[in-house]
Amino acid sequence: MPLFLSTHVNKVDKKGRVSVPSGFRAALADQSFQGVVLFRSNNHECLEGFAYSYMEELGERLDNFDLFSSEQDDLATAIFADAVQLPLDGDGRVILPEGLAEFALLDGRAAFVGLGQKFQIWNPDKLEKRRNNARKAVRSNALTVPKGNGGAS
Amino acid sequence: MPLFLSTHVNKVDKKGRVSVPSGFRAALADQSFQGVVLFRSNNHECLEGFAYSYMEELGERLDNFDLFSSEQDDLATAIFADAVQLPLDGDGRVILPEGLAEFALLDGRAAFVGLGQKFQIWNPDKLEKRRNNARKAVRSNALTVPKGNGGAS
DNA sequence: TGGATATATATGGAATACCATGGAAAATTA
DNA sequence: TAATTTTCCATGGTATTCCATATATATCCA
């Protein structure tokens, strides 16, 4: 299973083009759709990115909510309605839609942050704070990665 | 299952290259990805190293958290965002990214410390102190190795 | 047992390939 | 035709590969 790992900062040119880090492209290699899916994060001022195949899995998970529950509706709206599907060009770049770039406060540089199954795109300056907060949270809440299905509620 | 054992001190050249001890390489032999994954330790001024397969396992475990929960987000950020995936070159070396070398205070030499499933990379001088402390802790707390699935919560 | 040879490992430097990036050309749309 | 989007190509920088040498470890034979 390919994972999104590490952090890479790339430039956004005036046409909104950004190189997807080559390591991330490798994680997308054997997909039917050559590209990424992006949408606004619910928790931070950043973008969330997935492989297309993972979106399908997301759909299945949402099925675990009651079909007409407001939670299901809210989540589906937040995720699917807002998502954009961006193809890679011949040189491994995508074009960030203006609205998304604005939302994530991306001026000229974009930090691709690998989070395993997904990744995020941050303004490099904002990211630094976020990182420190995450580390702090892990330490102070004594968060650990559960064995087996330990995290299931 | 790969086991990392013993301690080896190797040189870091000016390009940041270090030979991974051959014993460690043997532990990585039958892996899909020929290389190691490194990130900053949360507890010490050293680096932690894993086989790629271990990261895959971590990824699966993290999947057990709700996808957009802050716990999932914090853990993934703390673990995956900081991690780097380093391939072995033809001679069994990796190149240490500058940021990581700096964090672990590695100037020209790196001590690879086998810890079973994982290993650490230390500044050889700092390691000596750490070792004494660890031995002391084991003695005074009468620490022992749990048997079977002792680690399960 | 000692010495010599062979094997494996570690290390340094040079050649090569890859990737990110900027700009221009071609194609598409209005 | 003008404006936009998409594809293509050129370049500089960086990372990866290749080769050559030194050091240590193991093997073999006398």
Side-chain angles (χ1 to χ4, degrees):
Chain A
M1 174 191 47
L3 290 174
F4 297 106
L5 275 182
S6 178
T7 298
H8 307 266
V9 178
N10 285 340
K11 285 189 182 174
V12 183
D13 69 19
K14 46 199 164 194
K15 290 167 193 165
R17 293 184 300 184
V18 194
S19 281
V20 174
S22 76
F24 286 26
R25 295 203 301 262
L28 298 166
D30 54 352
Q31 299 270 324
S32 57
F33 170 71
Q34 274 303 297
V36 299
V37 178
L38 292 186
F39 50 88
R40 296 168 166 80
S41 162
N42 292 313
N43 308 313
H44 309 287
E45 284 182 322
C46 72
L47 305 177
E48 304 253 340
F50 293 89
Y52 183 77
S53 62
Y54 198 74
M55 290 299 283
E56 296 174 326
E57 198 187 317
L58 258 186
E60 287 170 25
R61 287 198 190 190
L62 277 180
D63 253 11
N64 292 330
F65 283 102
D66 289 334
L67 189 55
F68 301 105
S69 73
S70 59
E71 286 95 344
Q72 210 272 0
D73 215 53
D74 291 344
L75 262 178
T77 301
I79 295 170
F80 289 103
D82 216 26
V84 293
Q85 193 175 354
L86 302 178
L88 289 171
D89 72 13
D91 301 324
R93 287 179 284 198
V94 294
I95 304 185
L96 294 175
E98 216 167 308
L100 291 185
E102 217 169 277
F103 174 82
L105 309 170
L106 303 174
D107 49 347
R109 301 189 313 141
F112 286 75
V113 184
L115 298 178
Q117 305 270 24
K118 66 177 182 180
F119 62 91
Q120 292 175 343
I121 301 180
W122 281 81
N123 174 317
D125 300 327
K126 305 280 174 187
L127 175 61
E128 202 45 46
K129 267 186 213 164
R130 163 67 191 136
R131 262 202 173 142
N132 290 330
N133 288 341
R135 293 201 191 102
K136 227 178 289 175
V138 168
R139 260 197 297 272
S140 64
N141 297 333
L143 287 180
T144 57
V145 182
K147 296 189 186 187
N149 69 342
S153 54
Chain B
M1 175 189 51
L3 269 185
F4 301 106
L5 281 179
S6 175
T7 297
H8 308 263
V9 178
N10 286 339
K11 283 190 183 175
V12 183
D13 70 18
K14 47 196 164 196
K15 289 169 192 163
R17 292 184 301 186
V18 194
S19 280
V20 174
S22 76
F24 286 26
R25 295 203 303 262
L28 297 167
D30 55 351
Q31 298 271 322
S32 58
F33 169 73
Q34 275 303 298
V36 299
V37 178
L38 293 184
F39 49 85
R40 296 166 164 80
S41 164
N42 282 320
N43 309 311
H44 308 288
E45 284 182 323
C46 71
L47 305 177
E48 305 246 323
F50 295 89
Y52 184 75
S53 60
Y54 191 79
M55 293 304 281
E56 291 179 319
E57 199 190 315
L58 274 183
E60 283 168 26
R61 290 195 202 170
L62 268 181
D63 237 21
N64 292 321
F65 282 101
D66 288 333
L67 189 57
F68 299 104
S69 72
S70 61
E71 287 93 347
Q72 212 268 5
D73 218 54
D74 289 341
L75 269 172
T77 300
I79 295 172
F80 290 106
D82 259 355
V84 292
Q85 189 176 358
L86 303 179
L88 289 171
D89 70 15
D91 304 321
R93 287 179 286 195
V94 294
I95 42 184
L96 296 174
E98 216 168 307
L100 291 185
E102 216 170 275
F103 174 82
L105 310 169
L106 303 174
D107 49 347
R109 300 189 316 140
F112 286 76
V113 184
L115 296 177
Q117 302 269 24
K118 67 176 181 179
F119 62 91
Q120 291 176 343
I121 301 179
W122 283 82
N123 173 318
D125 302 328
K126 303 279 174 188
L127 176 60
E128 199 46 47
K129 275 185 206 162
R130 162 71 190 136
R131 275 218 163 122
N132 290 330
N133 288 341
R135 291 203 193 95
K136 226 178 290 176
V138 169
R139 261 197 302 273
S140 63
N141 298 332
L143 290 179
T144 59
V145 180
K147 62 177 167 181
N149 68 342
S153 53

